[in-house]
Amino acid sequence: MNQLELLRKYTKIVADSGNITEIIRYHPTDATTNPSLILKVALLEKYQPLLKDAIIYAQHLGGNKNIQLVNASDKFLINIGVEILKYIPGKVSTEIDARLSFNRGACIAKACKLIQLYQDLGIPKSRILIKLASTWEGIEAAKQLEKEGIHCNMTLLFSYIQAQACADAGVYLISPFVGRISDWYQKHTLNYLKYDVTEDPGVNFVRNLFNFYKKNSYKTIVMGASFRNILQITALTGCDALTISPPFLELLENLTVPIERTLNPWTKTKARIFSSKITESFFRWKSNQDIMAVEKLSEGIRNFSYDQHKLEQLLLEYF
């Protein structure tokens, strides 16, 4: 039995890809997309019909060029998501424009729009996760969306205060970024290269979050994301879910070295609770104290917004 099969016994496998061919090959339960992945597939010839369909849709709705560009971009996201759902039994995560990350109302409006676009194509909201950045505004938006039956995947999560705020808000799923956390410590800590995987900062962060959630009976799913090597993945065997890019799925499929479950919901652990109720001021203060989380969150929002802009520039060529 290969490592992918072993991992699948204890953890939900989620493909971190918008490429249908890759998704079909590895048979994941769910799939996640983001602006960078959407841009990547938009450049492929086989996805041009989906892109052109989005342009026609936007032109039919009318409005000025900016309005049409936004509508075309949103429709292309949904077109990709609908295609992915043809080949997986579970859910697809669709991310809203990162430039809305600090606007609660805009996040809610965009999420509702995307859900409606899916429903217009016969896809129930139960099969969609709306991805939002784990800013205060994003978490507050998710809190409202969850009340309306729209499940959310909170992304760009790097700190305990973000994780607790998400769980307190009742969000469906969080995506702590293992690799990006480790990247930061590798850059800023001289002795990082002496660490083995049991001391990896990103792995330990997710392990602690998982134990914290189970200890406090939070229902929010923990889905590790953003991996840099196979050991980071296998060290989190037993996590609720892991979203894994196709190159690592292929490596796992080709490795037969046994792996064991390392995370269990019944593991005894110390609770890490900041407050019975996290206020906005407390959230912002605690977030500000975590230099790594501040830097990686802002970097992630910037980079996703850059790729969103690139996608829009590509769409402009069709108008």
Side-chain angles (χ1 to χ4, degrees), residues 119-138:
Q119 291 180 325
D120 290 345
L121 294 173
I123 305 298
K125 60 185 177 182
S126 61
R127 297 199 69 194
I128 310 301
L129 294 182
I130 295 295
K131 286 182 75 175
L132 298 158
S134 299
T135 59
W136 175 259
E137 294 80 4

Side-chain angles (χ1 to χ4, degrees), residues 35-244:
S36 302
L37 295 174
I38 294 297
L39 175 63
K40 186 176 180 180
V41 298
L43 297 171
L44 300 177
E45 182 63 31
K46 66 183 294 184
Y47 294 91
Q48 296 309 296
L50 299 181
L51 195 148
K52 292 176 181 177
D53 174 77
I55 298 295
I56 294 171
Y57 168 83
Q59 290 175 333
H60 176 73
L61 289 182
N64 62 38
K65 268 296 194 295
N66 288 336
I67 291 174
Q68 290 188 41
L69 195 58
V70 169
N71 286 331
S73 178
D74 290 344
K75 185 61 163 62
F76 186 60
L77 292 180
I78 271 56
N79 286 349
I80 294 294
V82 169
E83 284 299 306
I84 290 172
L85 288 170
K86 293 177 181 178
Y87 302 100
I88 62 173
K91 306 176 189 294
V92 66
S93 290
T94 298
E95 189 158 351
I96 71 166
D97 190 334
R99 293 169 297 192
L100 305 179
S101 297
F102 300 100
N103 187 325
R104 173 184 176 276
C107 286
I108 293 172
K110 179 68 77 173
C112 291
K113 178 185 178 183
L114 295 179
I115 290 294
Q116 187 59 56
L117 285 171
Y118 272 116
Q119 291 180 325
D120 290 345
L121 294 173
I123 305 298
K125 60 185 177 182
S126 61
R127 297 199 69 194
I128 310 301
L129 294 182
I130 295 295
K131 286 182 75 175
L132 298 158
S134 299
T135 59
W136 175 259
E137 294 80 4
I139 295 169
E140 285 292 291
K143 183 177 182 179
Q144 180 60 39
L145 291 167
E146 292 285 354
K147 291 178 180 177
E148 297 176 12
I150 297 173
H151 291 318
C152 299
N153 170 353
M154 303 310 295
T155 189
L156 296 175
L157 193 145
F158 304 99
S159 68
Y160 293 105
I161 191 67
Q162 286 176 301
Q164 187 176 334
C166 285
D168 288 346
V171 305
Y172 183 84
L173 180 149
I174 61 168
S175 296
F177 276 30
V178 177
R180 297 195 195 189
I181 292 172
S182 297
D183 290 345
W184 190 90
Y185 282 101
Q186 184 171 8
K187 179 179 179 181
H188 293 85
T189 308
L190 292 177
N191 68 340
Y192 174 79
L193 294 178
K194 299 177 183 178
Y195 296 165
D196 61 26
V197 71
T198 62
E199 299 171 310
D200 184 292
V203 170
N204 284 334
F205 176 66
V206 175
R207 181 181 293 117
N208 290 339
L209 280 188
F210 178 87
N211 291 336
F212 166 62
Y213 272 24
K214 304 313 174 188
K215 174 74 173 181
N216 292 284
S217 301
Y218 285 127
K219 297 186 182 299
T220 299
I221 293 167
V222 178
M223 181 173 74
S226 171
F227 297 103
R228 298 295 182 258
N229 57 64
I230 288 294
L231 291 179
Q232 288 180 335
I233 297 171
T234 56
L236 293 173
T237 301
C239 194
D240 297 325
L242 297 175
T243 180
I244 306 170

Side-chain angles (χ1 to χ4, degrees), residues 242-257:
L242 297 175
T243 180
I244 306 170
S245 65
F248 285 136
L249 289 172
E250 181 178 10
L251 284 173
L252 287 165
E253 193 176 58
N254 291 329
L255 292 172
T256 56
V257 178

